[in-house]
Amino acid sequence: MAAAPTQIEAELYYLIARFLQSGPCNKSAQVLVQELEEHQLIPRRLDWEGKEHRRSFEDLVAANAHIPPDYLLKICERIGPLLDKEIPQSVPGVQTLLGVGRQSLLRDAKDCKNTLWNGSAFAALHRGRPPELPVNYVKPPNVGFLCVALTVLELYIDQAGLCLPSAEIKDVCHMASHITTF
């Protein structure tokens, strides 16, 4: 049997099940509730003597009648604005739970420090796709700088004996020129 869940994990399972019950995923909610009871993941109740007792999901719902089914959704809606006051996101007004970097709900101050571009940082992003700018870079370098960095990359590839067509590097340089037009 797996280790007992922490208090926060048990409460999260409960909130997920309640959220699923309130939407179109009733079957999923039923399966989750069954598994919570089967694996004893529902927080135990204490009696007046301090003894722990198992309880059903329905008992937990009754004990927490003050928690609406959409409570988890309300928590998620409030986290972003609260975090924005502490550490602003890179694109104000865009609220997502799935963000990355400065859009992530798990961001911290080190994610937001400004870093200057260097050739190796840009060269590492080529691989035949539009480069994804690191979220903590101040502003993109100019096109000339990018082309020099890519030329150095091309020379390195030639010296290392790697096979990367020159046309790919030119494509990357072309894509990079579009990045600088933000």
Side-chain angles (χ1 to χ4, degrees), residues 24-103:
C25 300
N26 288 321
K27 289 179 187 173
S28 297
Q30 290 171 355
V31 170
L32 178 57
V33 168
Q34 286 174 351
E35 288 195 45
L36 292 175
E37 290 177 345
E38 176 184 330
H39 298 290
Q40 300 179 20
L41 299 174
I42 296 174
R44 296 177 173 267
R45 69 171 180 84
L46 294 175
D47 65 15
W48 63 277
E49 294 178 336
K51 294 180 185 175
E52 289 187 349
H53 301 276
R54 287 182 65 181
R55 64 174 154 190
S56 68
F57 186 79
E58 289 77 24
D59 291 340
L60 185 60
V61 171
N64 291 289
H66 62 284
I67 303 292
D70 65 345
Y71 194 74
L72 181 60
L73 177 62
K74 290 178 180 178
I75 290 171
C76 292
E77 289 171 344
R78 291 189 66 185
I79 288 174
L82 289 173
L83 181 60
D84 288 346
K85 291 177 183 176
E86 183 74 23
I87 305 169
Q89 57 187 350
S90 58
V91 183
V94 175
Q95 296 297 325
T96 179
L97 299 176
L98 308 176
V100 67
R102 286 188 70 163
Q103 291 297 119

Side-chain angles (χ1 to χ4, degrees), residues 4 9 38 47 68 78 81 87 94 99 106 114 118 148 152:
E9 288 172 331
E38 176 184 330
D47 65 15
R78 291 189 66 185
I87 305 169
V94 175
L106 300 177
N114 293 328
N118 60 34
V148 168
V152 170

Side-chain angles (χ1 to χ4, degrees), residues 48-182:
W48 63 277
E49 294 178 336
K51 294 180 185 175
E52 289 187 349
H53 301 276
R54 287 182 65 181
R55 64 174 154 190
S56 68
F57 186 79
E58 289 77 24
D59 291 340
L60 185 60
V61 171
N64 291 289
H66 62 284
I67 303 292
D70 65 345
Y71 194 74
L72 181 60
L73 177 62
K74 290 178 180 178
I75 290 171
C76 292
E77 289 171 344
R78 291 189 66 185
I79 288 174
L82 289 173
L83 181 60
D84 288 346
K85 291 177 183 176
E86 183 74 23
I87 305 169
Q89 57 187 350
S90 58
V91 183
V94 175
Q95 296 297 325
T96 179
L97 299 176
L98 308 176
V100 67
R102 286 188 70 163
Q103 291 297 119
S104 172
L105 292 177
L106 300 177
R107 67 185 177 268
D108 57 20
K110 72 178 174 79
D111 294 330
C112 300
K113 73 174 190 172
N114 293 328
T115 305
L116 297 176
W117 275 89
N118 60 34
S120 62
F122 179 76
L125 298 174
H126 76 287
R127 293 294 175 212
R129 60 180 168 76
E132 297 169 10
L133 301 176
V135 294
N136 61 346
Y137 275 38
V138 181
K139 62 180 180 178
N142 65 37
V143 177
F145 179 80
L146 294 177
C147 289
V148 168
L150 289 170
T151 302
V152 170
L153 174 65
E154 186 176 28
L155 292 172
Y156 172 77
I157 290 171
D158 287 343
Q159 288 177 351
L162 301 173
C163 180
L164 182 64
S166 179
E168 263 190 54
I169 291 179
K170 289 178 183 167
D171 288 344
V172 172
C173 188
H174 177 72
M175 288 184 285
S177 68
H178 292 292
I179 293 172
T180 62
T181 60
F182 287 166

